[in-house]
Amino acid sequence: MRKFAILGHPLGHTMSPEIHRRLFALSGREGEYEVLSIPPEKLRESFPLLRELSGFNVTIPHKVDIMEFTGALDESARRYGAVNVVDCRGPVTGYNTDCVGFLKAVQPAGADLSRPVCVMGAGGAGRMFAIESALHGAAVTIAVLERHFSLAEKVRGEILSLRPGARVEIMALDSLSGDFELLVNATPCGMYPHADEMPVGEAVLPRCRVVFDAVYNPTETLLLQKAAAAGCLTVGGMAMLVWQAVAAHEIWDGVSYRPVDIDALVEEMTREVARKFC
């Protein structure tokens, strides 16, 4: 039996096993899926164990350091300097499917990434959201706390190196202004157990057509609740989590899935999170 896993630390609340087991069932392919909680200081000594797997997913804090284990990197992994999927067949290859997950998640809402996009946060996820949006033609606003302006400037520089002439603006979260096709929350604000928090004031929301929150616990954050009340289309983080997992199976097995089945899986996992944690 082929073996797969999620690698990270800590991994007490991961939904990956449930998602991937369902994807194996949908594709008809066999595969065991386990949780490998390995602290950073023990990652390198765990390489022989990882090499015995057919493939694995990677989450915090190993997305960068795991690149030492890979012999090759896909373009997406090279672009973002981070890996979240490893294929151990033949040359060990690292991929980044978070970008695919993001694009697939906002697609059903009809988000047009050639129009203005605001990304709240400039960390790992925020950096990826901003770069992907810019590469698709968006005028990007990076909204951060003032103490994170230098980080946002680095992201702006990366965008301009990849797409010279791109329109990139940096704003403070507490003075955010403008009209946006898509507003993205890439901060932990609103994540359980701080579910009563929002990264931005309600006054911003009526000026946004689509609001995507990368947080998936709670399943409907306060930001999404307020956005829906303001008339926005909303997308929760579970959609991205499932779609990046789908991309992993496409890499491992060359399989494809019906969108209707993945939509149903997103709903199933959303209910599961609500049952377990909310």
Side-chain angles (χ1 to χ4, degrees), residues 7-269:
L7 168 69
H9 185 77
L11 286 171
H13 291 160
T14 179
M15 295 297 296
S16 289
E18 288 94 334
I19 293 170
H20 287 280
R21 288 165 189 160
R22 288 286 289 112
L23 289 172
F24 279 124
L26 283 170
S27 68
R29 303 297 179 96
E30 290 188 344
E32 294 180 352
Y33 197 95
E34 60 183 318
V35 173
L36 293 177
S37 183
I38 297 174
E41 64 272 17
K42 293 189 176 181
L43 177 61
R44 203 172 194 288
E45 68 185 64
S46 301
F47 283 178
L49 169 65
L50 298 176
R51 193 63 184 89
E52 294 176 3
L53 301 171
S54 297
F56 57 95
N57 299 103
V58 188
T59 189
I60 295 170
H62 301 309
K63 287 188 173 186
V64 175
D65 291 341
I66 196 62
M67 289 191 289
E68 182 184 348
F69 173 77
T70 61
L73 294 174
D74 177 70
E75 179 186 353
S76 60
R78 292 195 303 270
R79 180 188 306 150
Y80 295 114
V83 164
N84 77 319
V85 174
V86 175
D87 185 358
C88 296
R89 300 171 303 170
V92 177
T93 305
Y95 299 80
N96 189 310
T97 66
D98 284 334
C99 45
V100 176
F102 165 56
L103 297 173
K104 289 284 192 178
V106 301
Q107 193 176 60
D112 182 355
L113 295 187
S114 68
R115 295 174 57 81
V117 172
C118 176
V119 177
M120 298 183 289
R127 172 174 168 263
M128 181 272 289
F129 295 143
I131 292 173
E132 281 296 315
S133 297
L135 290 178
H136 281 76
V140 176
T141 297
I142 304 172
V144 293
L145 298 172
E146 289 190 13
R147 66 176 181 269
H148 294 153
F149 269 31
S150 60
L151 187 59
E153 287 287 0
K154 286 183 63 177
V155 176
R156 182 177 185 274
E158 287 187 84
I159 290 173
L160 292 176
S161 70
L162 290 167
R163 188 170 176 264
R167 293 164 293 169
V168 188
E169 187 174 4
I170 298 171
M171 288 190 184
L173 274 168
D174 59 6
S175 58
L176 181 59
S177 61
D179 297 322
F180 302 105
E181 167 74 3
L182 176 65
L183 177 69
V184 178
N185 179 31
T187 78
C189 190
M191 183 184 298
Y192 179 85
H194 304 290
D196 58 346
E197 298 177 358
M198 281 176 53
V200 72
E202 290 183 50
V204 172
L205 300 177
R207 304 196 304 271
C208 305
R209 196 181 76 81
V210 182
V211 176
F212 167 63
D213 197 333
V215 172
Y216 67 85
N217 184 14
T219 55
E220 187 178 38
T221 61
L222 182 61
L223 174 66
L224 293 184
Q225 294 174 35
K226 297 294 185 180
C232 308
L233 296 176
T234 61
V235 182
M238 184 56 72
M240 176 177 162
L241 187 66
V242 170
W243 275 109
Q244 62 84 21
V246 169
H249 284 254
E250 292 173 346
I251 292 166
W252 293 332
D253 282 331
V255 294
S256 59
Y257 296 86
R258 298 189 309 164
V260 65
D261 290 332
I262 303 307
D263 290 344
L265 180 56
V266 171
E267 293 180 7
E268 179 185 343
M269 292 299 106

